[in-house]
Amino acid sequence: MSKPFPVQQGVRQGGILSTELYKVYINDVLDQLENSGLGTYIGNIYCGSPTCADDVALIANSPNDLQTMISTVENYSMQEKYSLQPTKSVILKHEPPSKDTGFNFKINNIEMNEPDSAVHIGIKHSSDLKKTISIHVDENISKARRTMYSLMGAGLHGKNGLNPITCLHIFNVYVLPVLIYGIDILLPDNKHLEPLEVFYRKSIKQILSLPNNTADAAIYTIAGVIPLQGIIHKAALNIYNKICGMESSVEKDLAERQLSISGFNSKNWFSKIRCLLAQYNLPSAHELIQNPVSRYRWKANVKKAVDNVWHEQLRTKVSLFSSLRNLSANNILWHNIHPCLASVGTSAQDINRLQPKLKLLTGTYYLQSNKAAFNQNSIDPTCLLCNENSETVEHFILDCKSLNNTRIPYLHELDCFLRSIKNCDNRF
């Protein structure tokens, strides 16, 4: 750690009041941009300068408008006696080369760079549409307007204020198309969601040391989690309720506008939220705008509604696999990991037992009956240890005489435990 030093410029890093102090400081230049009338609009809602802390994106439909906005920020910096960083201020164009006017943007009399890609709020944006992940939007929405929806996560300047940090540098954007960012990334289409879901399942399988052919429903049931899509839905619904609770905010104005002019078949973000609320039997989108629910109560309601829907789907899927009949999906507590997994301790012996345990539970343990069922060659399913019956899971665990010496001590321990329970069910 360094020695203490006095703050002579900007705000104290990590200070409790730094956030609010920087909001006061940065809002003046954003007010000037809004009052100028330059930049993009969604309907009559100004959205020309989405900002998060010291990252400001200027969005315009024409080069002249954008240069004027840059000059406004430049003049404010001279007035407040701080310096912009030209090396971090770039132009990202999104238009066909045939329509490029060759306009040279300048900041502090220095020509600005025009790279093929740039980073804003930690997200890399490309000028090539083929390299930019798209979101579902209405066909009649212009490029700049579609950009504003995608940049909402950066915080649209308005009456809600901004998140602060110390120095100011400008990320200038000219004629932006669809970019995936902020709240729109919470509702990707199936094309972009599937790779995430595959990686999510693969990670769980690797942690549990299960083979790749393990049924997806078994993975979620054992780990006590729901698919990634359900987790994304929770996050999106929580953000929507947060928007509804904002008083006089740009985001809430946009929500009211989009819900009033768009139907259920529209592909904008707010229409998707409306469909999700109906899917999980939650209050309607308009009802939430009129009567927002408290944050903690809403999160609890969303968690319960989303989990119930996905748990029921997983129960149904588990019942369709004969190899998963031992999972007992109807009797487990879905908010917890499977009892088989919970019973594993931290000792090396317990950890070594986990893999065959889970394989037997999910029907992926390679027994003679599996070899006979899935091998093209003719294979005898008879147990190679006792040579009496087909080697199924039940035979391997309960009946094989060659494994009696290993099995009997554990069955005796289990029998004593069950007998110690008063009024134990006779089925045991």
Side-chain angles (χ1 to χ4, degrees):
M1 297 178 63
S2 66
K3 295 181 180 179
F5 58 89
V7 178
Q8 298 177 346
Q9 184 178 4
V11 293
R12 187 159 60 95
Q13 185 174 1
I16 296 175
L17 293 177
S18 297
T19 299
E20 300 303 323
L21 291 174
Y22 198 80
K23 286 181 181 179
V24 175
Y25 179 72
I26 192 65
N27 247 30
D28 285 344
V29 66
L30 298 177
D31 285 335
Q32 291 180 24
L33 291 169
E34 182 174 359
N35 294 334
S36 71
L38 300 175
T40 55
Y41 285 78
I42 298 177
N44 61 347
I45 304 171
Y46 178 76
C47 304
S49 54
T51 302
C52 180
D54 60 333
D55 286 310
V56 182
L58 304 181
I59 315 297
N61 288 309
S62 71
N64 290 320
D65 286 354
L66 181 57
Q67 182 60 63
T68 304
M69 296 171 74
I70 296 172
S71 299
T72 299
V73 176
E74 184 181 337
N75 293 335
Y76 184 81
S77 69
M78 290 187 291
Q79 173 188 328
E80 297 296 323
K81 295 181 174 55
Y82 66 85
S83 300
L84 298 175
Q85 300 181 22
T87 56
K88 293 186 178 181
S89 304
V90 299
I91 301 294
L92 190 60
K93 295 182 179 179
H94 283 288
E95 61 179 1
S98 60
K99 293 185 179 181
D100 190 353
T101 60
F103 193 97
N104 293 324
F105 297 92
K106 293 185 178 181
I107 184 169
N108 294 333
N109 293 322
I110 300 174
E111 189 171 332
M112 300 178 67
N113 295 326
E114 298 181 8
D116 294 331
S117 62
V119 177
H120 178 55
I121 321 295
I123 305 296
K124 185 177 181 180
H125 302 297
S126 173
S127 60
D128 187 353
L129 293 181
K130 295 180 180 179
K131 296 180 181 179
T132 303
I133 303 177
S134 298
I135 55 173
H136 285 307
V137 292
D138 292 331
E139 293 294 333
N140 59 348
I141 297 180
S142 67
K143 289 182 177 180
R145 286 176 60 201
R146 289 183 288 180
T147 300
M148 298 319 308
Y149 288 117
S150 64
L151 287 174
M152 281 180 63
L156 298 178
H157 170 57
K159 307 159 206 172
N160 57 315
L162 303 166
N163 293 326
I165 257 184
T166 47
C167 63
L168 173 70
H169 59 83
I170 306 300
F171 172 82
N172 297 306
V173 187
Y174 166 49
V175 192
L176 278 171
V178 185
L179 300 177
I180 185 165
Y181 187 77
I183 57 176
D184 286 299
I185 201 172
L186 292 174
L187 289 174
D189 56 20
N190 292 332
K191 177 182 177 182
H192 300 126
L193 178 62
E194 185 57 29
L196 296 175
E197 197 78 66
V198 170
F199 177 78
Y200 182 59
R201 291 195 299 262
K202 184 177 179 181
S203 299
I204 298 176
K205 290 176 183 178
Q206 289 178 343
I207 293 172
L208 298 179
S209 300
L210 285 171
N212 290 329
N213 63 339
T214 308
D216 296 339
I219 296 297
Y220 297 127
T221 303
I222 292 173
V225 298
I226 62 175
L228 185 61
Q229 186 176 1
I231 298 174
I232 291 175
H233 289 173
K234 287 181 184 179
L237 291 170
N238 287 332
I239 282 185
Y240 178 72
N241 185 67
K242 185 176 181 180
I243 291 174
C244 293
M246 294 178 179
E247 292 295 333
S248 302
S249 69
V250 176
E251 290 86 350
K252 188 171 182 178
D253 291 342
L254 288 173
E256 292 175 340
R257 178 184 184 275
Q258 286 303 98
L259 291 173
S260 63
I261 67 174
S262 304
F264 275 88
N265 294 328
S266 176
K267 294 179 180 179
N268 68 66
W269 190 83
F270 293 105
S271 293
K272 289 183 179 181
I273 290 294
R274 178 161 48 191
C275 295
L276 286 182
L277 291 169
Q279 176 183 341
Y280 295 112
N281 198 26
L282 292 166
S284 67
H286 287 287
E287 184 179 345
L288 283 175
I289 286 182
Q290 298 299 325
N291 301 297
V293 183
S294 66
R295 175 186 173 187
Y296 296 105
R297 180 183 171 190
W298 177 252
K299 289 184 71 173
N301 291 344
V302 167
K303 177 177 173 55
K304 181 179 179 180
V306 175
D307 285 349
N308 287 343
V309 169
W310 285 102
H311 291 163
E312 190 58 38
Q313 290 186 20
L314 289 172
R315 278 195 192 94
T316 303
K317 289 182 179 180
V318 167
S319 66
L320 298 177
F321 290 88
S322 58
S323 58
L324 302 181
R325 61 184 179 276
N326 296 318
L327 273 178
S328 301
N330 293 326
N331 301 320
I332 64 174
L333 298 176
W334 281 92
H335 297 289
N336 302 314
I337 60 176
H338 195 277
C340 181
L341 190 59
S343 64
V344 177
T346 57
S347 66
Q349 188 179 25
D350 273 357
I351 293 173
N352 290 332
R353 289 172 177 171
L354 177 62
Q355 186 175 6
K357 234 177 174 183
L358 295 180
K359 284 186 175 181
L360 287 168
L361 194 65
T362 57
T364 54
Y365 198 90
Y366 214 46
L367 300 168
Q368 283 298 114
S369 58
N370 300 107
K371 293 180 181 180
F374 299 107
N375 201 304
Q376 295 180 351
N377 301 321
S378 178
I379 295 180
D380 186 4
T382 303
C383 176
L384 298 179
L385 295 176
C386 64
N387 293 316
E388 291 185 3
N389 298 313
S390 177
E391 190 183 33
T392 61
V393 173
E394 290 80 2
H395 174 82
F396 178 73
I397 296 177
L398 300 173
D399 300 330
C400 183
K401 294 180 180 179
S402 299
L403 298 175
N404 273 342
N405 292 334
T406 304
R407 179 188 305 115
I408 288 176
Y410 291 101
L411 290 180
H412 177 70
E413 182 180 353
L414 178 62
D415 184 60
C416 292
F417 171 74
L418 293 176
R419 290 178 183 276
S420 66
I421 301 176
K422 294 182 180 180
N423 300 322
C424 183
D425 195 315
N426 292 331
R427 289 176 295 176
F428 289 115

